[in-house]
Amino acid sequence: MSVMHPRIFLNVCFLLALGHEIEASWEEWWTYDGISGPAFWGLINPQWNMCNKGRRQSPINVEPEKLLFDPYLRSLHIDKHKISGTLHNTGQSLVFRVEKDTKQHVNISSGPLAYRYQFEEIYFHYGTDNNQGSEHHIHGYSFPGEIQLYGFNKELYHNMSEAQHKAQGIVGISLMLQIGDTPNPELRIITSAFNKVLYKGSSTPIRHISLRSLLPNTEQYMTYEGSTTHPGCWESTVWIILNKPIYITKQELYALRKLMQGSEQTPKAPLGNNARPLQALHHRTVRTNIDFANTGVSKTQSCPTMYKDMYYKANRWTSEISARGRERGLPDIESVFHSLP
Ligand SMILES: *[C@@H]1O[C@H](CO)[C@@H](O)[C@H](O)[C@H]1NC(C)=O
Ligand SMILES: *[C@@H]1O[C@H](CO)[C@@H](O)[C@H](O)[C@H]1NC(C)=O
């Protein structure tokens, strides 16, 4: 895929030359492999040049030992009332979009956020097998899937398309998907509609879903500044990765993997494996509100709490967390870190 066929390259140049005439169709033109894949997103549309040039890009691999504990990170607020919208197979991803004329939008605020954001859409990333799927990796591990809730800065901007390329425009909340036996009732509302969006261009209404109930039961998260993981890769996104996975059953995953990239007549390949490759961190920091000094981990003198320090300091907690797991004989998956194999 690194070799671009000369004729295809000419076609790309030709398309670029057409400029504004075909702007609307750019939205549909990118893919996750081949000559319109992630390595070329920044070349096929000049407005997406951050996809190739950016240095604050997403997704990233989160390394536990490099996390910075920040005691000033508050817990995240998400409204709990239910909303309705539409689930779309876009040919690149499975996307849920909130109803345009929603009266009471879901606010996302607090946590690391300086502004109030309005929930807008959910992206589903997943693998065609269990060894890949999530865009963000934790300690080098890819989960079978990742659900991303996107909102835009409602205090500064009017809508997603205005906000996405502006400062502090977007929030992305990332939920890692792990395979489990007990269905998540809120996720179920969406997964039961998978068979209605088998092909590109199909969509189906989803009614009365509570995002807050979809979230895992944790106030702990990791956060960093990055980009949207789809074109144009604008570096306007505050990412919040929750420190627990949510569960999807094998049956739900099976239904998800039946979705196709193409139409019913030409279904092409399965929709899965729609993850952008990992991007370099380039000296960014990933902060966390997980305070291991106060979670019942060893409180010996050799392990001072972060509160006494006048500066941030990296937690060395990969060993602590595994020690804690061993102490309590934790067989269970408690956080995204515990759920690593
Ligand atoms: C969201 O925030 C705005 C501004 O504070 C407020 O007017 C609105 O009622 C909030 N929505 C809900 C559902 O609480
Ligand atoms: C978004 O807001 C901008 C600025 O108000 C407006 O020009 C544009 O038409 C809006 N776009 C959509 C899709 O509503």
Side-chain angles (χ1 to χ4, degrees):
M1 97 145 204
S2 57
V3 182
M4 213 184 203
H5 194 283
R7 183 166 55 85
I8 295 169
F9 185 69
L10 279 179
N11 285 347
V12 173
C13 296
F14 176 62
L15 285 174
L16 288 177
L18 283 179
H20 286 307
E21 313 289 311
I22 51 164
E23 204 164 312
S25 64
W26 281 126
E27 298 292 312
E28 311 197 351
W29 212 72
W30 57 279
T31 59
Y32 282 96
D33 56 11
I35 62 119
S36 47
F40 302 105
W41 289 351
L43 305 176
I44 59 182
N45 181 348
Q47 288 178 9
W48 299 344
N49 66 350
M50 290 309 276
C51 296
N52 285 62
K53 291 190 172 159
R55 289 177 170 259
R56 295 169 76 77
Q57 291 286 299
S58 298
I60 58 165
N61 175 36
V62 175
E63 277 303 340
E65 67 268 30
K66 290 192 185 146
L67 288 170
L68 295 186
F69 170 63
D70 180 351
Y72 299 107
L73 284 172
R74 301 157 295 175
S75 49
L76 189 66
H77 168 86
I78 301 187
D79 288 339
K80 63 167 178 268
H81 65 267
K82 297 182 178 203
I83 43 152
S84 299
T86 310
L87 189 66
H88 302 267
N89 178 336
T90 67
Q92 292 119 352
S93 273
L94 186 62
V95 184
F96 169 86
R97 295 207 173 93
V98 71
E99 236 166 39
K100 277 250 174 323
D101 52 5
T102 299
K103 298 233 161 47
Q104 237 199 349
H105 280 282
V106 168
N107 293 324
I108 304 171
S109 59
S110 192
L113 304 171
Y115 300 93
R116 181 170 46 85
Y117 291 71
Q118 176 177 307
F119 165 78
E120 192 74 8
E121 53 198 10
I122 304 178
Y123 277 73
F124 293 82
H125 299 272
Y126 62 95
T128 50
D129 60 71
N130 297 344
N131 299 317
Q132 58 180 324
S134 69
E135 295 207 295
H136 288 93
H137 291 203
I138 309 286
H139 205 30
Y141 176 69
S142 172
F143 286 78
E146 176 175 344
I147 291 181
Q148 299 171 345
L149 279 52
Y150 278 102
F152 71 92
N153 185 328
K154 180 68 175 171
E155 293 190 63
L156 299 185
Y157 310 116
H158 296 96
N159 53 45
M160 190 64 131
S161 36
E162 183 193 3
Q164 61 192 1
H165 52 88
K166 299 239 173 106
Q168 302 297 318
I170 293 183
V171 61
I173 299 173
S174 163
L175 315 179
M176 295 298 163
L177 273 179
Q178 189 60 288
I179 299 170
D181 296 329
T182 321
N184 173 319
E186 222 61 34
L187 184 59
R188 181 109 213 152
I189 298 175
I190 302 178
T191 61
S192 59
F194 283 165
N195 61 355
K196 304 209 178 69
V197 288
L198 284 177
Y199 302 103
K200 178 181 175 169
S202 50
S203 63
T204 188
I206 302 280
R207 314 220 35 97
H208 307 305
I209 179 170
S210 161
L211 300 177
R212 178 111 127 243
S213 310
L214 181 67
L215 301 189
N217 176 24
T218 183
E219 304 222 314
Q220 299 180 335
Y221 58 82
M222 294 143 275
T223 181
Y224 76 99
E225 290 178 19
S227 70
T228 60
T229 61
H230 49 266
C233 313
W234 295 286
E235 296 181 341
S236 52
T237 310
V238 176
W239 277 103
I240 301 171
I241 305 171
L242 297 185
N243 186 32
K244 264 192 191 175
I246 65 169
Y247 293 92
I248 185 163
T249 64
K250 285 191 179 129
Q251 292 78 7
E252 290 172 315
L253 208 46
Y254 180 79
L256 189 54
R257 287 175 179 156
K258 294 211 146 172
L259 272 48
M260 301 304 287
Q261 286 180 26
S263 64
E264 193 163 0
Q265 291 73 34
T266 46
K268 299 190 201 163
L271 190 64
N273 299 340
N274 55 346
R276 186 187 189 200
L278 288 175
Q279 304 294 305
L281 200 54
H282 288 299
H283 310 290
R284 279 172 291 173
T285 53
V286 182
R287 294 181 296 153
T288 184
N289 64 349
I290 310 171
D291 178 8
F292 283 88
N294 281 334
T295 50
V297 194
S298 86
K299 279 194 174 161
T300 59
Q301 260 104 18
S302 63
C303 189
T305 84
M306 296 298 165
Y307 289 112
K308 290 184 185 146
D309 289 343
M310 295 300 287
Y311 49 88
Y312 295 148
K313 189 169 156 189
N315 278 305
R316 301 189 164 279
W317 52 282
T318 34
S319 54
E320 285 174 2
I321 195 167
S322 49
R324 176 174 147 223
R326 271 198 303 277
E327 256 167 46
R328 294 201 196 145
L330 274 183
D332 236 8
I333 295 156
E334 276 226 336
S335 75
V336 287
F337 298 109
H338 283 134
S339 79
L340 302 180

